[in-house]
Amino acid sequence: MDDAEYTAKRAVDLVKDGGCACVLLNTVKQAQAVVRQLKEIDCGGEHYLFHARFPAYRRCELEEQVVGLFGKEAVKKGKRPQRAVLVATQVVEQSLDLDFDVMISQLAPIDLLLQRCGRLWRHKEIGTPRYGLEEALHVLMPEMQNPKFGRSGYVYGEAALLRTIAVIEGCEQFSLPVDFRPLIDACYGDECVINSIISEREQTIADEERQRKKEIDAGKAVDILIPAPSSRVFSLAEIDHTKDESDESTTSYFSASTRLGRATCSVLMIEDPRLIEVVHCKKAPRRDVLKELFMHKVDIPAYWLKDTIATNGFEQFFEGEKWLRQTTIIPTISGRWQGIRDGKGFEIVCDPVMGVEMNEDLSE
């Protein structure tokens, strides 16, 4: 299910006679890998990449482009590409009115697979050409004898993925919305769903791990809950987001996290000297400058910057002033920043097509 070359070739084959396909991957890194494979294939059509790890300004541009190509108005006016592949992550599920002829999805919990089906033939009443394609969701599955889920298992948990496999095995078709609730109940119910592929032992181990994770997450809930409004504090820009637990005089009204899962950090990747000067100021700039600045904001995995120092003449990243709200500044050169961690060089690249990614093991 993580074979980028197979996924790219499968997508190209599905639309060889025309049509618009969506390839939906569970992580940004996997989506980037599939697009690299598409670049090496003479697909005879267009391909696009859309995920959340673009700076805000670029993500807005891409969202507008994607809606313009695959949205309702494009369907209605016959302006969709004759042959195209959109490679994306879960961002296409978030309030975007998109319509595809066929879809490939990595295995995900059953409720998400059903939600992704909602982007198939979404506006069939308009009568747009479908180039002989069936209204089908093709699910990328792991090897059944010894299923390995890779990063998808980390994102969604193996228990939900094992149960989803068990539920859909042998299910040639289902009807929505009639079958929606039975499928959800079968996947998330208390009873194990056993079949010839998923053994009782595998599901028991996965369910025990799921229960442990639920207990851990419950313990983290205190850090996530947003407190009730305070009459003492109104502007977030005036709040101290960091709290040293050894300093009892420190108060942090808005110290809560926003979600469980792998830690990320917000960064501004900027190289414009004018904006670099702005982020060093103690006071917030004018609203128009602030908006311009935050259009460069992007979230990256926190471990990218952990125990890291700049190298090869790049300036060390630094924490912004209080008005920047826990945002790290990464001064770039030509869209790049290079550092070293554990004796190994790496670089963070902001590319307008691929988005932000980390290239490891650079020779110094």
Side-chain angles (χ1 to χ4, degrees):
M1 61 183 286
D2 292 338
D3 189 334
E5 181 179 3
Y6 168 82
T7 303
K9 289 181 177 179
R10 180 62 174 150
V12 170
D13 183 64
L14 283 172
V15 296
K16 63 181 184 298
D17 296 322
C20 296
C22 177
V23 179
L24 214 162
L25 289 310
N26 294 333
T27 69
V28 172
K29 188 173 183 179
Q30 290 163 331
Q32 291 168 332
V34 170
V35 166
R36 285 196 171 87
Q37 291 296 323
L38 284 172
K39 289 181 177 180
E40 297 181 6
I41 300 173
D42 182 13
C43 60
E46 307 166 52
H47 62 266
Y48 307 90
L49 176 63
F50 184 41
H51 56 72
R53 200 176 295 158
F54 284 95
Y57 74 89
R58 182 59 179 151
R59 181 171 172 177
C60 289
E61 294 172 351
L62 290 171
E63 181 174 316
E64 183 177 350
Q65 179 187 43
V66 168
V67 172
L69 290 169
F70 308 108
K72 183 176 182 178
E73 288 302 310
V75 175
K76 185 184 299 184
K77 297 178 181 179
K79 292 186 176 181
R80 291 200 315 163
Q82 182 175 349
R83 186 181 180 193
V85 176
L86 173 68
V87 180
T89 58
Q90 296 88 334
V91 292
V92 299
E93 302 171 4
Q94 300 171 2
S95 304
L96 296 183
D97 186 4
L98 304 177
D99 183 309
F100 298 98
D101 302 315
V102 67
M103 179 177 287
I104 298 174
S105 170
Q106 280 188 308
L107 178 67
I110 188 68
D111 52 325
L112 296 184
L113 292 179
L114 295 175
Q115 181 177 344
R116 293 171 185 184
C117 288
R119 300 298 182 268
L120 281 168
W121 292 38
R122 190 175 180 89
H123 299 295
K124 62 179 70 177
E125 74 282 356
I126 297 177
T128 187
R130 299 294 178 178
Y131 301 95
L133 290 166
E134 294 183 353
E135 184 180 357
L137 172 67
H138 300 258
V139 181
L140 300 172
M141 305 286 279
E143 291 290 337
M144 290 296 99
Q145 295 301 319
N146 184 25
K148 301 293 183 182
F149 300 111
R151 298 302 305 163
S152 297
Y154 185 92
V155 173
Y156 295 120
E158 291 194 3
L161 298 180
L162 283 169
R163 282 171 169 260
T164 297
I165 292 175
V167 168
I168 65 178
E169 184 204 10
C171 180
E172 295 184 1
Q173 64 180 19
F174 47 80
S175 177
L176 298 179
V178 176
D179 292 333
F180 195 95
R181 177 50 57 187
L183 289 168
I184 298 296
D185 289 343
C187 185
Y188 291 100
D190 293 331
E191 296 183 5
C192 287
V193 183
I194 310 302
N195 59 23
S196 60
I197 295 177
I198 308 302
S199 70
E200 182 175 2
R201 174 174 170 74
E202 284 178 314
Q203 285 219 11
T204 299
I205 292 174
D207 286 341
E208 288 175 351
E209 179 61 30
R210 179 179 65 168
Q211 183 60 35
R212 283 195 295 271
K213 185 177 185 301
K214 286 173 63 177
E215 293 171 358
I216 293 172
D217 289 349
K220 293 179 180 178
V222 174
D223 297 325
I224 290 180
L225 290 175
I226 298 176
S230 168
S231 60
R232 296 182 298 104
V233 180
F234 178 75
S235 173
L236 292 181
E238 298 175 359
I239 298 168
D240 184 1
H241 291 267
T242 59
K243 180 176 181 179
D244 181 356
E245 294 181 353
S246 64
D247 181 4
E248 295 183 359
S249 65
T250 303
T251 58
S252 179
Y253 170 70
F254 203 84
S255 60
S257 302
T258 57
R259 63 178 179 178
L260 296 173
R262 189 168 190 168
T264 61
C265 62
S266 295
V267 302
L268 294 176
M269 298 187 67
I270 52 179
E271 55 188 279
D272 185 335
R274 178 177 55 87
L275 295 180
I276 292 289
E277 183 178 353
V278 169
V279 298
H280 282 291
C281 295
K282 295 293 184 182
K283 295 181 63 177
R286 301 189 316 269
R287 182 179 294 271
D288 60 327
V289 178
L290 191 62
K291 181 178 179 180
E292 179 187 2
L293 189 64
F294 274 87
M295 289 302 285
H296 292 269
K297 189 174 183 180
V298 61
D299 289 341
I300 64 173
Y303 80 91
W304 285 10
L305 301 181
K306 185 178 181 181
D307 301 325
T308 297
I309 59 173
T311 188
N312 296 334
F314 285 83
E315 182 182 346
Q316 180 68 11
F317 59 84
F318 57 93
E319 294 300 312
E321 297 294 335
K322 188 180 296 186
W323 57 269
L324 283 167
R325 306 180 186 182
Q326 284 188 314
T327 301
T328 300
I329 314 303
I330 302 181
T332 60
I333 300 175
S334 300
R336 298 172 180 270
W337 184 89
Q338 295 183 356
I340 188 169
R341 182 197 310 113
D342 297 329
K344 296 181 179 179
F346 71 96
E347 70 175 357
I348 299 174
V349 181
C350 183
D351 182 85
V353 175
M354 301 300 291
V356 178
E357 55 186 335
M358 180 177 67
N359 299 326
E360 300 183 87
D361 296 330
L362 296 181
S363 58
E364 293 198 66

